[in-house]
């Protein structure tokens, strides 16, 4: 007996109960065994397995390394996480199964009312019991024998009914599986967006740290070179100052000697002059010969030796760029392949 929605038409509590016993996947009454999801909604195990296989297409191909999977409840979209047993790890809802048994017994004991089965419009006393394959409409036996469908090809109503219902159920399963895959893709894209933001912040922090380290290194190198220039400046300045002191001493001696010579030259007495003149002339000659002090070389004060060329560093800084990552290229190739599939 086919227990479908609509078998009770009197709005009784049994009809309300029947609506609660309809599977949201196959739209039929639950077929045993009935499994209960963590969100407390029920599914036929077969329907649950169909949804699970659609959401996890590679689950069966993992061999002995089968791991858990996930799918979303078709009623509330709650994500159901499964262990390595798949849907067979879900608990059976024995209460719902017992209610289904009681419901079926109650329905089988109720007599069918007139009008519950569709009747032919052309032959009011004839029930619609066959299907016209040619016209693709259900009809009655009288229409086939004497009526408009006498030349048409017909088939048993039940076989066509079961075939089209199976096809409709398959379409529903496809839609549910497609929605679940779309939801999975949305979740993956949201995770990718968050990961992109986190990775970008990490990359910014790393880039700032590298440039700060480079700036610190440049400052350290600059201080070192400045120290070398300052040391060279101090050495040269000290040497020049020592020469200045020597020349000042020589100038002072020479000035005193000039004063002595001038005083001697003013002597009018010949004898007095000659007594000191010879020794004075000898002292002046020796002083002139021994007055050769050190001198600085030409360009001694220049600091051109401490010139630094930063052109190559400037070019290197201008050429700074991010290195192409091979892993990223492989990742994008893989994404393109998945999109093509």
């Amino acid at each position: 007996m086919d227990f479908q929605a609509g078998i009770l038409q009197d709005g009784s509590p049994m009809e309300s109960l029947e609506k609660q016993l309809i599977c949201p996947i196959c739209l039929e009454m639950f077929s045993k065994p009935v499994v209960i999801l963590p969100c407390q909604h029920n599914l036929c195990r077969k329907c649950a397995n169909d949804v699970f296989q659609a959401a996890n297409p590679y689950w069966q191909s993992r061999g002995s390394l089968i791991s858990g999977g996930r799918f979303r409840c078709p009623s509330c979209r709650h994500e159901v996480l499964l262990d390595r047993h798949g849907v067979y790890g879900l608990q059976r809802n024995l209460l719902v199964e017992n209610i289904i048994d009681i419901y079926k017994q109650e329905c089988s004991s109720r007599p069918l009312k007139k009008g519950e089965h569709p009747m032919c419009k052309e032959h009011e006393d004839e029930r619609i019991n066959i299907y016209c394959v040619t016209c693709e409409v259900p009809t009655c036996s009288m229409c086939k024998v004497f009526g408009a469908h006498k030349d048409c090809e017909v088939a048993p109503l039940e076989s066509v009914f079961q075939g089209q219902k199976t096809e409709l159920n398959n379409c529903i399963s496809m839609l549910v599986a497609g929605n679940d895959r779309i939801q999975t893709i949305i979740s993956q894209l949201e995770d990718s967006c968050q990961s992109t933001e986190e990775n970008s912040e990490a990359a910014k922090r790393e880039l700032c740290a590298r440039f700060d380290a480079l700036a610190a290194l440049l400052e350290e190198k600059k201080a070192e070179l400045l120290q070398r220039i300052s040391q060279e400046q101090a050495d040269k300045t000290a040497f020049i100052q020592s020469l200045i002191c020597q020349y000042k001493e020589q100038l002072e001696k020479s000035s005193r000697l000039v004063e002595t010579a001038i005083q001697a030259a003013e002597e009018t007495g010949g004898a007095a002059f000659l007594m000191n003149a010879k020794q004075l002339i000898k002292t002046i000659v020796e002083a002139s010969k021994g007055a050769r002090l050190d001198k600085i070389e030409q360009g001694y004060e220049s600091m051109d030796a401490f010139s630094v060329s930063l052109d190559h560093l400037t070019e290197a800084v201008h050429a700074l760029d991010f290195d192409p990552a091979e892993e990223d290229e492989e990742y994008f190739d893989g994404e393109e392949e998945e999109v093509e599939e």
Side-chain angles (χ1 to χ4, degrees):
M1 182 176 182
D2 185 22
F3 299 94
Q4 307 167 29
I7 199 169
L8 299 176
Q9 303 291 337
D10 55 359
S12 65
M14 292 296 290
E15 182 179 3
S16 299
L17 176 61
E18 178 184 3
K19 294 180 180 179
Q20 301 299 321
L21 300 178
I22 298 299
C23 174
I25 299 298
C26 61
L27 301 181
E28 294 283 351
M29 186 172 294
F30 290 116
S31 60
K32 296 191 293 185
V34 180
V35 295
I36 182 169
L37 304 181
C39 56
Q40 303 303 313
H41 290 108
N42 299 286
L43 291 176
C44 309
R45 178 181 287 176
K46 179 182 180 301
C47 295
N49 189 60
D50 292 341
V51 175
F52 173 70
Q53 294 291 344
N56 304 268
Y58 302 107
W59 189 77
Q60 290 182 339
S61 63
R62 297 177 184 173
S64 59
L65 298 177
I66 292 178
S67 60
R70 63 183 65 191
F71 68 94
R72 293 188 179 274
C73 172
S75 298
C76 65
R77 308 304 299 164
H78 177 78
E79 189 174 48
V80 181
L81 300 177
L82 302 180
D83 56 16
R84 61 187 182 86
H85 299 290
V87 296
Y88 293 93
L90 294 173
Q91 185 178 0
R92 290 179 60 177
N93 195 333
L94 299 179
L95 176 61
V96 173
E97 293 181 7
N98 293 334
I99 293 175
I100 291 174
D101 292 337
I102 297 173
Y103 175 82
K104 290 183 177 180
Q105 292 176 4
E106 176 67 20
C107 290
S108 61
S109 63
R110 293 180 72 256
L112 291 175
K113 297 180 179 180
K114 185 177 180 180
E116 287 184 350
H117 195 285
M119 308 300 289
C120 180
K121 294 182 180 180
E122 298 295 331
H123 309 90
E124 297 181 355
D125 295 333
E126 293 293 328
R127 299 171 59 184
I128 294 178
N129 55 2
I130 59 176
Y131 186 83
C132 179
V133 179
T134 304
C135 301
E136 297 183 346
V137 293
T139 185
C140 70
S141 301
M142 295 298 293
C143 290
K144 169 59 181 173
V145 178
F146 304 106
H149 302 284
K150 62 181 180 179
D151 297 328
C152 298
E153 179 183 356
V154 297
L157 187 66
E158 186 66 21
S159 62
V160 178
F161 163 74
Q162 292 296 338
Q164 291 193 1
K165 176 158 286 192
T166 300
E167 183 178 356
L168 178 60
N169 291 336
N170 293 336
C171 293
I172 293 174
S173 299
M174 290 171 57
L175 288 176
V176 172
N179 291 341
D180 193 72
R181 284 194 295 270
I182 292 175
Q183 183 62 43
T184 301
I185 293 174
I186 292 175
S187 299
Q188 292 175 349
L189 291 175
E190 291 176 348
D191 294 341
S192 298
C193 183
Q194 182 178 358
S195 298
T196 300
E197 294 177 356
E198 295 174 354
N199 294 337
S200 298
E201 292 300 323
K204 290 177 182 178
R205 290 193 297 270
E206 181 181 0
L207 185 63
C208 291
R210 290 179 180 272
F211 271 85
D212 291 342
L214 180 60
L217 179 62
L218 289 175
E219 286 294 329
E220 181 180 354
K221 194 65 177 177
K222 182 179 73 172
E224 177 188 345
L225 296 179
L226 288 175
Q227 178 62 29
R228 290 172 58 184
I229 294 175
S230 299
Q231 184 63 42
E232 183 70 13
Q233 174 189 354
D235 294 342
K236 288 187 175 183
T237 302
F239 178 70
I240 294 174
Q241 289 293 341
S242 67
L243 290 181
I244 292 174
C245 292
Q246 293 176 21
Y247 277 97
K248 284 183 177 180
E249 292 177 359
Q250 181 66 29
L251 178 61
E252 185 178 354
K253 291 179 181 179
S254 179
S255 297
R256 288 197 301 267
L257 189 58
V258 169
E259 291 178 0
T260 303
I262 291 174
Q263 291 177 0
E266 292 177 352
E267 182 64 42
T268 57
F273 174 79
L274 292 175
M275 289 178 63
N276 297 320
K278 186 175 182 180
Q279 183 61 37
L280 181 60
I281 293 172
K282 181 180 180 180
T283 302
I284 293 174
V285 172
E286 290 178 356
S288 299
K289 293 180 178 180
R292 297 178 181 176
L293 300 176
D294 293 335
K295 296 180 181 179
I296 59 175
E297 298 177 356
Q298 185 177 2
Y300 179 79
E301 68 280 2
S302 174
M303 289 290 181
D304 293 342
F306 293 93
S307 176
V308 176
S309 176
L310 299 178
D311 294 342
H312 60 291
L313 290 180
T314 304
E315 294 176 359
V317 171
H318 283 299
L320 280 178
D321 201 351
F322 299 105
D323 296 332
E326 296 180 358
E327 295 181 358
D328 293 342
E329 295 177 358
E330 294 177 358
Y331 171 77
F332 286 118
D333 292 341
E335 288 290 337
E336 293 177 357
E337 292 177 359
E338 291 182 1
V339 172
E340 292 177 359
E341 292 177 0

